């Protein structure tokens, strides 16, 4: 089973950018579909973006489409989330997740999670 560690969160002004990274300690990273989810205080954990094993297929939540880009580098066992044009409503704890199942946006289908990294966007 792969283990995931997120990094790259922080405090930014609205309109700014951040790049989140999620490094997998496992040796079979390329076998996993990967995704990013986020959870704001008092809210459910919401889908953000997902990427297939090879990186050839991607899915995005409507709220981030055109602003966020998910990518992966299997040689580095890392998945990224490039976040541009950040808005205050993007403020949340961002989690990466892994699944051996077909690419999905359903949070409950992901059983492997990182610890999360805080993203705060000020106005």
């Amino acid at each position: 089973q792969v283990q995931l560690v997120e990094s790259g969160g922080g405090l930014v002004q609205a309109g700014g950018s951040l790049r989140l990274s999620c490094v997998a300690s496992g040796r079979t990273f390329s076998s996993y579909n990967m995704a990013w989810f986020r959870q704001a205080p008092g809210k459910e954990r919401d889908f953000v973006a997902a990427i297939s094993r090879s990186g050839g297929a991607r899915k995005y939540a409507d709220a981030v489409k055109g602003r966020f880009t998910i990518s992966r580098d299997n040689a580095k066992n890392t998945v990224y989330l490039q976040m541009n044009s950040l808005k205050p409503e993007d403020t949340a704890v961002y989690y990466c997740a892994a699944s051996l199942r077909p690419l999905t946006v359903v949070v409950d289908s992901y059983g492997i999670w990182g610890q999360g990294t805080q993203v705060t966007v000020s106005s």
Side-chain angles (χ1 to χ4, degrees):
Q1 185 179 98
V2 66
Q3 296 182 10
L4 308 174
V5 179
E6 303 98 330
S7 63
L11 173 64
V12 298
Q13 284 255 54
S17 298
L18 284 174
R19 188 177 75 160
L20 306 183
S21 298
C22 176
V23 179
S25 62
R27 302 186 185 277
T28 57
F29 177 70
S30 63
S31 298
Y32 291 85
N33 293 311
M34 301 295 298
W36 289 94
F37 293 81
R38 65 188 183 186
Q39 188 167 24
K43 296 186 177 180
E44 296 181 345
R45 189 168 297 187
D46 291 330
F47 170 76
V48 177
I51 189 167
S52 63
R53 296 173 178 88
S54 67
R58 292 167 297 277
K59 297 181 181 292
Y60 295 97
D62 289 342
V64 307
K65 195 171 298 181
R67 299 188 297 120
F68 291 10
T69 302
I70 188 170
S71 62
R72 68 191 295 164
D73 186 339
N74 287 345
K76 297 181 178 179
N77 275 21
T78 303
V79 62
Y80 304 95
L81 186 67
Q82 178 67 47
M83 305 185 295
N84 298 327
S85 301
L86 282 162
K87 305 174 180 179
E89 53 262 44
D90 296 319
T91 295
V93 177
Y94 283 70
Y95 299 89
C96 64
S99 176
L100 290 173
R101 297 186 176 188
L103 193 65
T104 177
V105 305
V106 179
V107 62
D108 290 339
S109 69
Y110 288 84
I112 303 172
W113 296 87
Q115 84 288 350
T117 185
Q118 177 71 46
V119 172
T120 303
V121 184
S122 63
S123 59

